[in-house]
Amino acid sequence: MEVIVLDDAQAVAQKGAGLIAGLLNSKPAAVLGLATGRTPLAMYHRLVELYKERRVSFADATTFNLDEYLGIDAHNPQSYRSYMDREFFHHINIKLANTHLPACAERENPRHVGPRYEAMIRDAGGVDLQVLGIGQNGHIGFNEPGSSLGSRTRVKTLAERTLKDNSQAFEKGEFQPKLAITMGIATICDARKILILATGKHKSQAVAATVEGPVTAWCPASILQMHESVALLVDQEAASQLKNRDYYALACRENEALHQRFGQFLEDV
Ligand code: F6R
């Protein structure tokens, strides 16, 4: 795992957007796995700027989001479909037909959604780059602590901690779903490259457990230690509990020289 400690959340957004744009410039028909939540928002907004500056095009890209709530429809402003349209898709030149979320249609059996989503990802050629945030409890997607490390897209019950963290997005008295359909941990690990973002002090414990703790289903993000190509972009606050921080900084500096000669994880724009 390449741990890249940046000054602040803005630098994380900037770097993340640069890496995604770089991928699209070298592979215009790339398949992106995307996340919602507060963390990647600034990165999506930066990508919109890069698109407007004509430094990236999404015309041939395909996307698969990690997760979608169960029990609210796509038009509900709280759905992850609404989030993605509002914050990102409606401001770039992506074909909406090429954007996918694991949504369950009305009256559809939610257990049918996962296998169908897996098949769609496979048919698209697999995910080239998966963007992830991380929950304070170490979840990725909605794979809560204890989720099988071999899990595939399926219905998950959200943990109390996640419900509390995400409740800020809901008005008092507004229906907050307790279930979601999420890519599984094995689905996420199938991606060729993974870009995980974490910002803020409240993520520091989860980041330390992910990078320096044991690989365990109790911190689902720790499975990323087993993946061959992961870049973790963190700000100073999120990095604050990493014991091996000096080493990551040293490795980044050393890698920089190699990157300049031989290319990097992904080419920045
Ligand atoms: C979102 C998702 C979640 C979030 C995580 C962090 O699609 O799958 O795993 O990435 O809950 O959320 P924020 O960024 O709001 O702290």
Side-chain angles (χ1 to χ4, degrees):
M1 191 182 307
E2 196 172 345
V3 180
I4 303 173
V5 183
L6 298 158
D7 284 346
D8 53 24
Q10 201 48 42
V12 167
Q14 190 103 5
K15 180 78 181 167
L19 293 174
I20 292 174
L23 169 66
L24 286 165
N25 289 344
S26 63
K27 185 175 182 184
V31 178
L32 301 175
L34 298 178
T36 56
R38 277 150 292 181
T39 313
L41 261 185
M43 183 184 76
Y44 292 141
H45 297 165
R46 176 67 192 138
L47 278 168
V48 170
E49 283 173 9
L50 290 174
Y51 163 68
K52 289 186 174 155
E53 292 164 8
R54 296 178 189 272
R55 293 167 72 190
V56 64
S57 170
F58 298 86
D60 298 319
T62 298
T63 65
F64 289 92
N65 264 75
L66 281 168
D67 36 29
E68 178 57 287
Y69 284 128
L70 196 53
I72 52 179
D73 73 40
H75 302 294
N76 187 311
Q78 297 289 4
S79 74
Y80 285 163
R81 161 54 73 185
S82 295
Y83 168 109
M84 292 306 300
D85 286 350
R86 182 174 63 236
E87 304 293 347
F88 193 34
F89 296 152
H90 282 173
H91 309 286
I92 56 174
N93 63 339
I94 199 159
K95 296 180 188 81
L96 281 182
N98 291 347
T99 67
H100 309 282
L101 288 94
C104 184
E106 214 186 325
R107 282 193 273 278
E108 185 182 15
N109 180 343
R111 296 216 160 89
H112 293 165
V113 177
R116 188 179 67 222
Y117 204 60
E118 295 278 335
M120 285 168 74
I121 296 172
R122 262 195 318 273
D123 291 349
V127 171
D128 290 303
L129 177 68
Q130 177 67 55
V131 175
L132 297 175
I134 181 171
Q136 292 189 59
N137 61 4
H139 75 204
I140 45 175
F142 278 130
N143 296 287
E144 302 290 17
S147 292
S148 161
L149 298 179
S151 52
R152 292 272 159 199
T153 307
R154 70 217 181 289
V155 178
K156 276 299 284 185
T157 301
L158 306 190
E160 282 299 331
R161 179 67 184 267
T162 302
L163 289 171
K164 189 162 168 288
D165 291 344
N166 291 358
S167 63
Q168 298 166 29
F170 292 82
E171 299 291 333
K172 209 166 178 287
E174 190 179 10
F175 171 69
Q176 182 182 1
K178 290 193 167 60
L179 298 176
I181 298 177
T182 179
M183 281 188 197
I185 296 177
T187 320
I188 291 170
C189 288
D190 280 348
R192 292 180 191 96
K193 289 180 188 292
I194 293 182
L195 182 63
I196 176 160
L197 317 177
T199 55
K201 190 129 204 113
H202 61 301
K203 295 294 175 73
S204 59
Q205 206 179 336
V207 165
T210 298
V211 181
E212 296 174 346
V215 174
T216 165
W218 290 105
C219 175
S222 64
I223 190 69
L224 300 176
Q225 292 176 28
M226 309 286 288
H227 192 281
E228 67 178 322
S229 188
V230 178
L232 168 68
L233 305 185
V234 276
D235 66 1
Q236 300 285 345
E237 289 187 345
S240 59
Q241 293 196 47
L242 287 171
K243 293 195 185 72
N244 219 6
R245 211 167 149 181
D246 291 345
Y247 174 75
Y248 308 133
L250 175 67
C252 275
R253 283 197 297 277
E254 292 298 326
N255 284 339
E256 199 51 46
L258 286 175
H259 294 338
Q260 287 187 0
R261 285 188 64 195
F262 303 112
Q264 57 175 332
F265 169 79
L266 286 170
E267 291 302 331
D268 224 330
V269 289

